Structure formats: structure tokens, C-alpha cells
Amino acid sequence: SKRKVSRLQSRGHRFHQREGERNRMNLVGVTVILLLGIAANKLIALPQLNRIHKQLLAIKKSAPISSVGLQKHWMGARAYVLLAEKDGTIRRGYKLDGNTVFSKFEEDLELKAKTAQELLNTLKRKRKLSRLELAQKMAANFLNNRSALADQEENLPSKA
């Protein structure tokens, strides 16, 4: 009877040992699948990044002054491009809003502000800004600072 008990204990020990090995193999399998998924995601993202970069370059070339604002987040980045004349008058705004492979820059038809300062004043009135509005604010700040620097340079005495 003691022999039977020791055999049963031995079998139970081997059973638990095999179960632990299976769990480790499952963990390795899940890890490999996760790493393959991350690699596939990066490979799919490269063509999208190239396409967006080309589109951004084309947009920036369409006006004398351009400013890009970016708001990063773990749920995806938001970008906003402001195009302006040399005097600081805003021509157009473009927004990149989306996390899919099909996201692209689209003209912001809701943009009503004529200058960067006007846009900043409009955004100041809001209680809480969305990620896209934060990117818009970043682009407007850059454009506003650039206009202020240009005004200062005009008022400097010339070196005649």
C-alpha cells in the first residue's frame, strides 16, 4: 500500500511537471506571436509614413510660410499645418486626424481665423482643447512668433 501511494505521488509530480512545461511553451508562443505582430505593424506603417511625408512636403510648398504643430498621444498623434502669406495672413489649414493606414492631411474647412493671433485668441476661450486643437495651437504659436520676429527685423535701424 505504501508502494501504491509513492507511485501515485510520483505520477502526480510528473503530471504537474508536464503541465508547467506546457505553460512555458504557451508563454513562449504568445511572446513570439506578439513580437511578430509588432514587426508586421512597423512594416505596414513605413509606406504610410512615406506617403504622409510626401503629402506634407507638397502642402508646405504651396505657401511662402508654413507651420506644423504636432500633439503626440498613446492613442495616436495629431498634426496640424498652417499655411500663411509673408505678412502672417493665414491661407489655409490642414489636419491629420486619424490612426489608420488611410489617414491623410485634409483641408480644415472650419478654420475661420485670418491670423495666428486670432486663432490663438479663439483657442484661449475654450475650456479644454482636443489633441487636434493642441496641435493647431502649436502651429499658430510658431507662426505668431515668426511674424513677431519679422516685425522686429523691419523696425531695426538699417546698416547704411
Side-chain angles (χ1 to χ4, degrees):
S1 108
K2 277 188 176 183
R3 243 182 188 180
K4 277 187 173 181
V5 170
S6 68
R7 275 193 224 153
L8 289 175
Q9 286 174 344
S10 167
R11 285 182 190 159
H13 175 71
R14 279 183 275 169
F15 173 77
H16 289 296
Q17 193 175 13
R18 283 189 211 127
E19 192 173 312
E21 288 172 11
R22 274 191 232 123
N23 286 341
R24 269 185 251 121
M25 292 299 288
N26 287 342
L27 183 62
V28 169
V30 168
T31 304
V32 167
I33 289 171
L34 182 67
L35 290 174
L36 288 173
I38 291 171
N41 184 31
K42 295 292 181 189
L43 288 174
I44 290 170
L46 286 176
Q48 177 191 14
L49 289 174
N50 288 334
R51 183 179 45 78
I52 289 173
H53 182 70
K54 286 177 186 175
Q55 190 181 15
L56 178 61
L57 289 177
I59 289 170
K60 287 175 76 174
K61 287 180 183 177
S62 68
I65 299 174
S66 62
S67 175
V68 179
L70 184 65
Q71 182 63 36
K72 293 183 179 181
H73 191 266
W74 68 273
M75 292 286 290
R78 297 291 181 262
Y80 199 89
V81 181
L82 280 174
L83 301 175
E85 299 295 336
K86 288 187 178 183
D87 66 355
T89 306
I90 295 175
R91 273 190 187 180
R92 286 184 295 285
Y94 288 89
K95 57 186 175 179
L96 179 67
D97 195 14
N99 297 329
T100 68
V101 177
F102 306 109
S103 60
K104 61 183 180 182
F105 281 101
E106 295 176 354
E107 188 171 352
D108 185 3
L109 302 175
E110 297 174 9
L111 180 65
K112 304 285 187 248
K114 299 294 179 202
T115 65
Q117 188 58 52
E118 188 180 327
L119 179 58
L120 288 169
N121 291 338
T122 303
L123 292 172
K124 254 185 220 175
R125 286 187 224 120
K126 293 191 171 193
R127 269 180 62 127
K128 187 171 183 194
L129 299 176
S130 68
R131 287 181 285 151
L132 186 62
E133 289 169 331
L134 287 169
Q136 192 177 37
K137 181 180 176 183
M138 179 188 260
N141 272 326
F142 180 81
L143 197 60
N144 195 40
N145 291 339
R146 186 173 178 155
S147 296
L149 285 174
D151 290 344
Q152 284 178 356
E153 287 176 4
E154 285 178 11
N155 295 331
L156 289 177
S158 60
K159 296 179 183 178

